[in-house]
């Protein structure tokens, strides 16, 4: 069971924007869903990377960067102001670029199919984040109706 939370942090009132506390609305955000998927997949990739001594230090950085994408999207999504949402979406965008860079560094340890799939997913996340940021700047983000 989930309870509803408004921007004021309590039960819904007349005309207030409402989001489920359990994150079910967040899970419908495609960028978040893709980032969460990458957060699961990265573990196998990092394990393969750790087998290569030169990449042993890179693997934990890849895991942190990839995990940071979903975490920052979630934190930004929960923020009340567009300015705060944009800030966290931009953090997620930076982590997306960092993860892609670490994947490029490690591509010799991964199959070309795995590498291509991961980079394609990160590219999709980056594009979606850019749209989310643009929409927040234009005032058409998730809570535009409550402004």
């Amino acid at each position: 069971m989930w309870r509803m939370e408004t921007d004021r942090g309590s039960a819904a009132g007349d005309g207030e924007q409402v989001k489920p506390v359990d994150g079910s609305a967040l899970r419908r955000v495609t960028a978040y869903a893709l980032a969460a998927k990458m957060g699961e997949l990265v573990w196998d990739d990092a394990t393969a990377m750790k087998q290569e001594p030169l990449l042993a230090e890179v693997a934990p950085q890849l895991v942190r960067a990839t995990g940071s994408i979903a975490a920052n999207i979630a934190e930004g999504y929960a923020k009340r102001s567009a300015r705060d949402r944009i800030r966290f979406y931009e953090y997620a965008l930076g982590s997306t670029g960092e993860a892609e860079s670490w994947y490029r560094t490690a591509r010799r340890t991964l199959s070309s199919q795995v590498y291509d799939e991961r980079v394609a997913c990160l590219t999709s996340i980056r594009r979606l984040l850019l749209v989310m940021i643009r929409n927040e700047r234009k005032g058409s983000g998730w809570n535009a109706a409550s402004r």
Side-chain angles (χ1 to χ4, degrees):
M1 184 170 137
W2 53 276
R3 73 179 180 87
M4 300 297 281
E5 184 176 87
T6 68
D7 287 339
R8 293 189 186 105
S10 61
D14 293 334
E16 294 177 313
Q17 182 68 30
V18 177
K19 293 192 295 182
V21 172
D22 73 349
S24 63
L26 175 62
R27 286 192 295 271
R28 290 190 299 266
V29 174
T30 306
Y32 176 81
L34 289 173
K37 174 184 158 191
M38 283 294 298
E40 294 293 322
L41 297 173
V42 72
W43 288 96
D44 290 333
D45 302 340
T47 301
M49 289 168 63
K50 284 192 125 187
Q51 302 306 312
E52 170 59 50
L54 294 173
L55 295 175
E57 299 295 319
V58 171
Q61 291 177 284
L62 174 64
V63 172
R64 279 192 297 275
T66 304
S68 179
I69 300 167
N72 280 304
I73 293 170
E75 189 161 356
Y77 187 81
K79 295 298 181 181
R80 185 173 180 178
S81 74
R83 180 184 215 168
D84 285 340
R85 284 190 298 279
I86 290 167
R87 181 167 36 106
F88 282 96
Y89 295 162
E90 287 176 339
Y91 293 158
L93 189 61
S95 294
T96 302
E98 181 183 357
E100 193 171 343
S101 178
W102 291 128
Y103 268 110
R104 273 195 305 276
T105 300
R107 76 171 155 223
R108 291 185 184 123
T109 63
L110 303 170
S111 73
S112 59
Q113 179 183 352
V114 167
Y115 172 76
D116 290 343
E117 287 172 2
R118 301 307 189 261
V119 170
C121 188
L122 289 167
T123 299
S124 294
I125 293 168
R126 182 176 54 250
R127 289 177 178 161
L128 290 164
L129 282 167
L130 288 169
V131 169
M132 291 166 66
I133 292 166
R134 184 187 70 216
N135 287 345
E136 289 296 337
R137 286 189 176 134
K138 287 178 17 181
S140 59
W142 72 261
N143 73 345
S146 67
R147 290 185 198 159

